[in-house]
Amino acid sequence: MTLRTGTMRLACMFSSILLFGAAGLLLFIGLQDPTELTPQQVPGVKFNIRLQQPHNDFPPGKSQDGDFKAPTEKDTRDLSSQAPRGLNLLVPDRAQAHLNRGARLRPRQRRRRLLIKKMPAAAAIPANSSAGTFVRPASQALDSRWVGLHQRQQERKRVMREACAKYRSSSSRKAVTPRHVSRIFVEDRHRVLYCEVPKAGCSNWKRVLMVLAGLASSTADIHHNTVHYGSALKRLDTFDRQGILHRLSTYTKMLFVREPFERLVSAFRDKFEHPNSYYHPVFGKAILARYRANASREALRTGSGVRFSEFVQYLLDVHRPVGMDIHWDHVSRLCSPCLIDYDFVGKFESMEDDANFFLSLIRAPRNLTFPRFKDRHSQEARTTARITHQYFAQLSAPQRQRAYDFYYMDYLMFNYSKPFADLY
């Protein structure tokens, strides 16, 4: 009897141990960071500049007959080794030591390190190159400019990440939906994703993408209506979920931004100070009916003659009589930079340098540069800081403050200074 009782006690103890072990395992799994189970976005072009290798005319993942193929691990390495033409930079010992340390990081740490794309002045040796074949750039001035452009990108992305971490901490855990990528255009040949920000050079950027895609031989040959109303360029939200995630993970993602008040004035001048068959009847009529006392019958009929102060009243009204528009919506809403890990952040104010630097990074054709022409209202001066101040001088100080608050995240994320001294 005693032996039987002891055996039963041992069986109960063993069962209890198994139950506690299973419960502990379930608890451990439940405590895992869900982001570990989410596909990470790997930058299309990493800014660890490497020795340029001979290449053919077809980018990784693209076959000679034009069919798209999923990139291999070798393709990804080859793409990350791309550097501006003619620049072969030396590798300092400390950079190589840094890479060696990175190889020993745990998988999770390595993925996070990839997301923070550091851009050292010199580069690592690509896996398929022979050591000791580095050549210094012929021009020291060119070398300095190259380093400066990398440092500029590093600083812009640092500021953007910090703003996102401070104010949009929950965004990183959201799933990417077609709405988040509806403003992103796709160029498969050079594996580029471009988020369109209206009034920040978007017309000319789409011309560049069309030339890169082989749809035109020159940006000068592409008419404005072809750029904006044609269907030559695909949007990312037209792909299925797998196609969206694949491109976000392997293509080079870039956007260009502009000082928010200057962008707003540029949009107002373009849409309301010139004849427009869409913005006058759709926005102008609603704005005049709501914000102009004793508006004339002719103004209400045509929607023409909206004043800047009336336009700002509409913009700041939480009960707007007509919805928002992409030409004055926030960049943070158009491009979701806290959710999508952009590899390159350019600015309208430094467009020529930034654009041609980007084209070098993706190894665009040598004869392709960013166009400088203004194809709409070409006789009219571009909107500058001076012109912007003239328009905002028409507003009261409280209106200027509310407008600044409206675009605060864009000012913060892209490191633009306050445009008026009395703003806080």
Side-chain angles (χ1 to χ4, degrees):
M1 184 69 178
T2 304
L3 180 60
R4 183 177 179 183
T5 302
T7 302
M8 290 179 65
R9 286 179 179 176
L10 285 173
C12 289
M13 288 175 62
F14 184 73
S15 300
S16 299
I17 291 171
L18 286 177
L19 286 173
F20 276 115
L25 180 61
L26 289 173
L27 180 62
F28 174 78
I29 293 173
L31 290 175
Q32 292 299 297
D33 188 348
T35 59
E36 289 292 289
L37 305 177
T38 304
Q40 300 290 336
Q41 295 178 37
V42 180
V45 170
K46 303 177 182 64
F47 294 105
N48 294 329
I49 306 308
R50 301 176 178 178
L51 182 66
Q52 183 169 320
Q53 298 294 320
H55 61 285
N56 56 30
D57 294 330
F58 300 95
K62 194 77 173 180
S63 64
Q64 189 169 357
D65 60 6
D67 295 330
F68 184 80
K69 296 179 180 178
T72 63
E73 183 179 353
K74 178 180 182 298
D75 290 336
T76 305
R77 288 199 305 271
D78 289 343
L79 189 61
S80 69
S81 70
Q82 295 170 4
R85 299 175 284 270
L87 289 177
N88 301 300
L89 305 181
L90 287 174
V91 181
D93 292 338
R94 62 184 180 183
Q96 190 62 46
H98 175 77
L99 293 173
N100 292 338
R101 286 198 304 272
R104 295 194 298 270
L105 293 173
R106 292 179 308 208
R108 178 180 176 183
Q109 290 175 312
R110 283 200 297 271
R111 287 197 295 272
R112 288 182 176 176
R113 185 69 57 85
L114 281 173
L115 290 177
I116 304 173
K117 292 167 288 299
K118 297 189 178 294
M119 298 177 293
I125 304 173
N128 59 351
S129 70
S130 57
T133 59
F134 296 97
V135 181
R136 284 188 182 276
S139 168
Q140 187 64 37
L142 187 61
D143 187 18
S144 299
R145 184 164 173 263
W146 169 255
V147 172
L149 290 168
H150 274 82
Q151 291 173 342
R152 177 189 291 176
Q153 280 299 309
Q154 187 177 31
E155 177 63 14
R156 286 175 184 172
K157 291 193 289 183
R158 181 192 66 79
V159 171
M160 189 171 68
R161 285 195 303 267
E162 288 181 357
C164 289
K166 186 174 182 180
Y167 293 97
R168 302 287 171 88
S169 58
S170 63
S171 295
S172 61
R173 293 179 181 270
K174 291 181 180 177
V176 176
T177 68
R179 181 187 68 80
H180 293 120
V181 299
S182 63
R183 307 310 312 172
I184 295 180
F185 288 87
V186 178
E187 200 288 285
D188 283 319
R189 287 180 65 182
H190 292 79
R191 305 165 69 83
V192 171
L193 299 180
Y194 163 63
C195 184
E196 174 192 33
V197 177
K199 314 311 298 180
C202 68
S203 298
N204 281 338
W205 264 118
K206 286 192 272 190
R207 286 185 173 92
V208 169
L209 293 182
M210 291 174 73
V211 173
L212 287 173
L215 301 173
S217 58
S218 169
T219 55
D221 299 334
I222 308 172
H223 191 268
H224 179 86
N225 288 344
T226 304
V227 170
H228 289 288
Y229 307 119
S231 57
L233 292 174
K234 293 181 180 179
R235 295 179 189 268
L236 189 54
D237 64 348
T238 62
F239 294 89
D240 60 20
R241 179 167 179 77
Q242 183 178 359
I244 291 173
L245 294 178
H246 166 72
R247 285 166 175 81
L248 284 175
S249 298
T250 60
Y251 283 25
T252 303
K253 302 172 287 294
M254 66 99 165
L255 77 161
F256 270 71
V257 298
R258 187 176 185 177
E259 202 280 337
F261 276 11
E262 190 175 306
R263 177 173 166 251
L264 181 67
V265 171
S266 177
F268 173 78
R269 295 176 73 201
D270 182 25
K271 305 306 179 187
F272 295 100
E273 291 187 349
H274 300 275
N276 193 294
S277 60
Y278 173 75
Y279 284 91
H280 289 192
V282 174
F283 287 87
K285 289 166 70 172
I287 290 172
L288 291 171
R290 172 72 68 88
Y291 306 108
R292 182 178 293 183
N294 303 316
S296 70
R297 183 175 299 177
E298 179 66 13
L300 293 175
R301 184 183 69 82
T302 63
S304 301
V306 173
R307 302 182 188 116
F308 184 65
S309 58
E310 295 166 339
F311 174 64
V312 172
Q313 279 184 277
Y314 143 77
L315 183 73
L316 302 177
D317 191 345
V318 294
H319 302 293
R320 298 183 192 95
V322 62
M324 278 294 287
D325 183 82
I326 61 172
H327 290 84
W328 45 83
D329 205 351
H330 313 81
V331 176
S332 53
R333 277 168 48 99
L334 293 172
C335 297
S336 302
C338 291
L339 180 62
I340 297 171
D341 185 35
Y342 286 93
D343 304 297
F344 193 96
V345 180
K347 289 191 173 185
F348 184 85
E349 294 76 14
S350 53
M351 177 64 80
E352 188 170 1
D353 281 348
D354 289 351
N356 292 324
F357 176 47
F358 177 78
L359 291 174
S360 293
L361 286 172
I362 64 168
R363 300 172 81 176
R366 291 178 181 272
N367 62 346
L368 177 61
T369 57
F370 190 80
R372 302 176 66 178
F373 58 82
K374 184 174 185 278
D375 65 344
R376 281 171 61 83
H377 320 307
S378 57
Q379 303 304 314
E380 185 177 81
R382 289 186 185 274
T383 302
T384 61
R386 181 182 62 81
I387 292 175
T388 300
H389 273 250
Q390 291 174 356
Y391 278 79
F392 272 86
Q394 303 170 25
L395 307 181
S396 65
Q399 281 181 311
R400 286 197 297 269
Q401 182 62 53
R402 289 185 62 205
Y404 177 73
D405 294 341
F406 184 81
Y407 288 110
Y408 178 71
M409 278 304 295
D410 285 358
Y411 273 100
L412 184 69
M413 292 178 68
F414 304 111
N415 203 24
Y416 283 109
S417 303
K418 294 178 182 177
F420 290 89
D422 59 350
L423 296 175
Y424 57 87

